[in-house]
Amino acid sequence: MKITRKDFLRISGLSLLAAGCKRAAESVSQPASSVRAASTQPVRWGMVIDLSKCREKDGCNACIHACNAAHNIPQIANHAHEVKWIWTEPDATVFPSAQTDFAPQTVTETKVPLLCNHCANPPCTRVCPTQATWKRDDGIVMMDWHRCIGCRYCVAACPYGSRSFNFEDPRPSIESINPDFPTRTKGVVEKCNFCEERLARGLKPACVDACPQRVFTFGNLADPESEPRQLLRERFAVQREPELGTGPSVFYLV
Amino acid sequence: MKITRKDFLRISGLSLLAAGCKRAAESVSQPASSVRAASTQPVRWGMVIDLSKCREKDGCNACIHACNAAHNIPQIANHAHEVKWIWTEPDATVFPSAQTDFAPQTVTETKVPLLCNHCANPPCTRVCPTQATWKRDDGIVMMDWHRCIGCRYCVAACPYGSRSFNFEDPRPSIESINPDFPTRTKGVVEKCNFCEERLARGLKPACVDACPQRVFTFGNLADPESEPRQLLRERFAVQREPELGTGPSVFYLV
Amino acid sequence: MRDRVWIFAGLAFFVAALTCPAWYAVANGKASNKSKPPNLELPANQKECVAPAGTMRAAHMQMLIQWREDVVRHGDRRFVAFNGKVYEKSLTRTCLGCHNKEQFCDRCHAYSGVSDPYCWNCHNDPQTVAGSRTRSTP
Amino acid sequence: MRDRVWIFAGLAFFVAALTCPAWYAVANGKASNKSKPPNLELPANQKECVAPAGTMRAAHMQMLIQWREDVVRHGDRRFVAFNGKVYEKSLTRTCLGCHNKEQFCDRCHAYSGVSDPYCWNCHNDPQTVAGSRTRSTP
């Protein structure tokens, strides 16, 4: 069969048109389906901290030791150079508005575990000039130490003091290095990553697993049936400085 | 016996000195003893409101009706002229900082009873130009309607909206006048007096006695063994906007 | 000395102008009412007041202001009378507990020309209020 | 034409100056080492890498940067190799799980003159760290 020049052009044109339509259809349908998948299974990692349980074993600090070991947190004697991912402060300091003059000392003076709030609207990520810190789709406020230039804008932006700067090489101040997790280097900012590296392996954060009192309840805040959501339905919870509009993902049962 | 001029002067001088000493001794000892009496039995009236009990019977309003009847509170249709001593607002409005996104609607939408906080440091009394409102020794922030000139400085100063101004004669708007308590007149400010007139007769405030759920616990905050102090020791309580430093005497169990 | 007539005429007019309300009252027969005391209804159940009648007549207003200061500003509600009896410092409960406002207070106040003191802008007459209460709840 | 001598002398000097490091190395016997590859210790327990040896030799740095982006910024830790095998994208766990940093990486980097990339400012060599750990906890 011999095709004329006119037929050839007609067939080529139709083929090109068909191929173009297919790509257009794909590019339209693909984001739509991925959006749909995300809305059926959205994730927002969050944590509920039961202070009444924590109070029962004041001064325990098992959560802090577990985090320090897992993430190679240096123990620096110079307080100005301190690096911390999870730490404690007295209840009266953390929740000044939730204090009455007549609360017992056992409540006001106990130490409250503090960590990055992994805010819904994190002020720290907005100010980062290199996008070295950003909010993941699962709500974790993440850091890319490869990109951090040490400007410390994020340190200034965080209202919770959750970020630390490496003023010196941390390695000499780490008693025992965990090879599975990188240390940081002089000149970068660091903070709690909600044990993102453990979540990827299906584990819960190190502090959650280490606590002998089961003070920490970790789970998906976007799932109404998750453990933290159940606790938040049943009991009265507070966030740190919610009036700032940061939307912390860490809740405290008083 | 004849006394010389010298003897006369000597006796008169000594008598005057003795009389002076007696008065001085009296003036020193009297305030000291009254101060001592006050420090052994100090009183600071306060109230603890158990919101969990109140929530069980949402929309009850027995406390409000009791107060309205006891104190001749007018029911004025014009909202701008409203007069109120005890009223309710939704939990989410009263305690915006104590809300989490994940608290149940039954908590955030229930009505919270509000009244004058009888603050330890009341801003309203500081601004009153005629001392028509002042803080009594027992902590009650009191009003003397005889002195009020209607300047409404106190209305502006109160951060809790606890004060109402009589824009019109209240009597036509009072269904049934209680003769034992004065109505107010056009041009004066009024507010909750912690049922000072009932306390004087050994009764508890009208709202406390009227509540079928026993939501209100009234007592002496200065006494560590009083009912409200016991509750504040055992349970977590919040005050309205404590960061303002007013020191409210009304506490809410969440 | 020739101005004497004018001077005395002026003085006479001045005195007449000054005293004209009294002449006017005499002409209308009010002064004659004033001379006889008002018909006051005394309490049936009590024989003596918190102070002797003369003191009350002359100084009940000072006493009420003193009671007001004591009760409102000092929380002091206990009044020990001249005869040792103890009363509550209360216009409504103590004074109006015996006296009928309309038949006693108001009549004398009207007689003395000091009717409607603004006490009653806020304080209530139990009898009037009881009437209004009955009317308002049929 | 009479400048020809100077021109060629100048050119000869320029070429000599340009090539002098090479001559210097030959004189010191280094170039002879360079010609024979470094003595790399290959993993004992594995026969094949995540990509053919040639690809790894030429482009392991690009692959590591890609892995870094995938893991840190996209949470994507799963690497499907050319032969269908699945690996974790991890310098410490996957690369150093087989290779000995000192005997493999460092030797070749030293041979190529690109020693001490700043990966190791933060990332740890499990064997070195295990040594330090043993020392720090006697």
Side-chain angles (χ1 to χ4, degrees), chain B residues 171 174-178, chain C residues 124-138:
Chain B
R171 280 190 173 156
I174 304 171
E175 198 201 343
S176 165
I177 287 175
N178 167 21
Chain C
N124 302 296
D125 172 16
Q127 302 204 329
T128 322
V129 161
S132 85
R133 174 174 278 182
T134 315
R135 278 197 299 279
S136 70
T137 53

Short mmCIF file of all heavy atoms in Angstrom, two decimals, chain B residues 171 174-178, chain C residues 124-138:
data_model
loop_
_atom_site.label_atom_id
_atom_site.label_comp_id
_atom_site.label_asym_id
_atom_site.label_seq_id
_atom_site.Cartn_x
_atom_site.Cartn_y
_atom_site.Cartn_z
N ARG B 171 -35.69 50.06 87.40
CA ARG B 171 -36.88 49.53 88.07
C ARG B 171 -37.95 49.00 87.11
O ARG B 171 -38.50 47.92 87.36
CB ARG B 171 -37.47 50.57 89.02
CG ARG B 171 -36.69 50.59 90.33
CD ARG B 171 -37.39 51.44 91.37
NE ARG B 171 -36.71 51.31 92.66
CZ ARG B 171 -36.77 52.22 93.61
NH1 ARG B 171 -37.46 53.33 93.44
NH2 ARG B 171 -36.13 52.02 94.75
N ILE B 174 -37.35 45.35 86.24
CA ILE B 174 -37.23 44.31 87.27
C ILE B 174 -38.62 43.73 87.49
O ILE B 174 -39.55 44.44 87.89
CB ILE B 174 -36.69 44.90 88.59
CG1 ILE B 174 -35.35 45.59 88.34
CG2 ILE B 174 -36.53 43.79 89.63
CD1 ILE B 174 -34.85 46.39 89.53
N GLU B 175 -38.75 42.44 87.22
CA GLU B 175 -40.07 41.83 87.28
C GLU B 175 -40.62 41.88 88.70
O GLU B 175 -41.75 42.26 88.95
CB GLU B 175 -39.99 40.38 86.79
CG GLU B 175 -41.35 39.80 86.41
CD GLU B 175 -41.32 38.29 86.44
OE1 GLU B 175 -40.23 37.69 86.43
OE2 GLU B 175 -42.41 37.70 86.47
N SER B 176 -39.76 41.50 89.66
CA SER B 176 -40.23 41.38 91.03
C SER B 176 -39.12 41.89 91.94
O SER B 176 -38.06 41.29 92.03
CB SER B 176 -40.55 39.92 91.31
OG SER B 176 -40.66 39.70 92.68
N ILE B 177 -39.38 43.01 92.61
CA ILE B 177 -38.33 43.65 93.41
C ILE B 177 -38.19 42.98 94.77
O ILE B 177 -39.20 42.74 95.46
CB ILE B 177 -38.62 45.15 93.57
CG1 ILE B 177 -38.35 45.87 92.23
CG2 ILE B 177 -37.77 45.77 94.66
CD1 ILE B 177 -38.69 47.35 92.24
N ASN B 178 -36.96 42.66 95.15
CA ASN B 178 -36.65 42.17 96.48
C ASN B 178 -36.45 43.38 97.38
O ASN B 178 -35.45 44.09 97.24
CB ASN B 178 -35.40 41.29 96.43
CG ASN B 178 -34.84 40.99 97.81
OD1 ASN B 178 -35.54 41.09 98.81
ND2 ASN B 178 -33.57 40.62 97.85
N ASN C 124 -36.07 50.47 98.75
CA ASN C 124 -37.44 50.08 98.46
C ASN C 124 -38.30 50.11 99.72
O ASN C 124 -37.85 49.73 100.80
CB ASN C 124 -37.48 48.67 97.88
CG ASN C 124 -36.64 48.57 96.62
OD1 ASN C 124 -36.94 49.21 95.61
ND2 ASN C 124 -35.56 47.79 96.70
N ASP C 125 -39.54 50.53 99.54
CA ASP C 125 -40.53 50.43 100.61
C ASP C 125 -41.16 49.04 100.52
O ASP C 125 -41.81 48.72 99.53
CB ASP C 125 -41.60 51.52 100.39
CG ASP C 125 -42.76 51.34 101.36
OD1 ASP C 125 -42.61 50.60 102.36
OD2 ASP C 125 -43.81 51.95 101.10
N PRO C 126 -40.94 48.20 101.53
CA PRO C 126 -41.42 46.81 101.41
C PRO C 126 -42.89 46.73 101.07
O PRO C 126 -43.30 45.85 100.31
CB PRO C 126 -41.16 46.22 102.81
CG PRO C 126 -40.09 47.07 103.39
CD PRO C 126 -40.28 48.43 102.82
N GLN C 127 -43.71 47.66 101.58
CA GLN C 127 -45.15 47.58 101.34
C GLN C 127 -45.51 47.92 99.89
O GLN C 127 -46.30 47.22 99.26
CB GLN C 127 -45.87 48.51 102.31
CG GLN C 127 -45.55 48.15 103.76
CD GLN C 127 -46.61 48.59 104.73
OE1 GLN C 127 -47.26 49.60 104.50
NE2 GLN C 127 -46.78 47.82 105.78
N THR C 128 -44.89 48.98 99.36
CA THR C 128 -45.14 49.32 97.96
C THR C 128 -44.69 48.19 97.05
O THR C 128 -45.39 47.78 96.12
CB THR C 128 -44.35 50.59 97.57
OG1 THR C 128 -44.36 51.50 98.66
CG2 THR C 128 -44.94 51.24 96.33
N VAL C 129 -43.47 47.68 97.33
CA VAL C 129 -42.90 46.62 96.50
C VAL C 129 -43.73 45.36 96.59
O VAL C 129 -44.00 44.70 95.58
CB VAL C 129 -41.44 46.36 96.94
CG1 VAL C 129 -40.96 45.03 96.45
CG2 VAL C 129 -40.55 47.47 96.41
N ALA C 130 -44.21 45.04 97.80
CA ALA C 130 -45.05 43.85 97.95
C ALA C 130 -46.29 43.98 97.10
O ALA C 130 -46.72 43.03 96.45
CB ALA C 130 -45.43 43.67 99.42
N GLY C 131 -46.86 45.23 97.07
CA GLY C 131 -48.00 45.46 96.20
C GLY C 131 -47.66 45.23 94.74
O GLY C 131 -48.36 44.50 94.04
N SER C 132 -46.53 45.81 94.29
CA SER C 132 -46.15 45.67 92.88
C SER C 132 -45.85 44.20 92.58
O SER C 132 -46.17 43.69 91.51
CB SER C 132 -44.92 46.52 92.57
OG SER C 132 -43.73 45.82 92.88
N ARG C 133 -45.24 43.51 93.55
CA ARG C 133 -44.92 42.10 93.34
C ARG C 133 -46.21 41.31 93.13
O ARG C 133 -46.33 40.51 92.24
CB ARG C 133 -44.15 41.57 94.55
CG ARG C 133 -43.91 40.08 94.50
CD ARG C 133 -43.02 39.64 95.65
NE ARG C 133 -41.63 39.87 95.35
CZ ARG C 133 -40.63 39.54 96.19
NH1 ARG C 133 -40.89 39.02 97.35
NH2 ARG C 133 -39.38 39.74 95.84
N THR C 134 -47.21 41.60 94.00
CA THR C 134 -48.48 40.89 93.87
C THR C 134 -49.10 41.18 92.51
O THR C 134 -49.61 40.29 91.84
CB THR C 134 -49.45 41.32 94.98
OG1 THR C 134 -48.74 41.34 96.21
CG2 THR C 134 -50.62 40.37 95.08
N ARG C 135 -49.01 42.46 92.11
CA ARG C 135 -49.61 42.82 90.83
C ARG C 135 -48.86 42.17 89.67
O ARG C 135 -49.44 41.70 88.72
CB ARG C 135 -49.58 44.35 90.66
CG ARG C 135 -50.74 45.05 91.37
CD ARG C 135 -50.91 46.45 90.85
NE ARG C 135 -49.73 47.29 91.07
CZ ARG C 135 -49.47 47.89 92.24
NH1 ARG C 135 -50.26 47.74 93.27
NH2 ARG C 135 -48.40 48.66 92.36
N SER C 136 -47.52 42.14 89.77
CA SER C 136 -46.77 41.66 88.62
C SER C 136 -46.87 40.14 88.47
O SER C 136 -46.65 39.60 87.41
CB SER C 136 -45.30 42.07 88.75
OG SER C 136 -44.68 41.34 89.79
N THR C 137 -47.18 39.45 89.57
CA THR C 137 -47.36 37.99 89.43
C THR C 137 -48.80 37.64 89.78
O THR C 137 -49.12 37.36 90.93
CB THR C 137 -46.40 37.26 90.38
OG1 THR C 137 -46.58 37.79 91.70
CG2 THR C 137 -44.96 37.41 89.98
N PRO C 138 -49.70 37.66 88.84
CA PRO C 138 -51.12 37.47 89.11
C PRO C 138 -51.44 36.02 89.48
O PRO C 138 -50.67 35.12 89.17
CB PRO C 138 -51.79 37.83 87.79
CG PRO C 138 -50.75 37.71 86.73
CD PRO C 138 -49.42 37.79 87.39
#
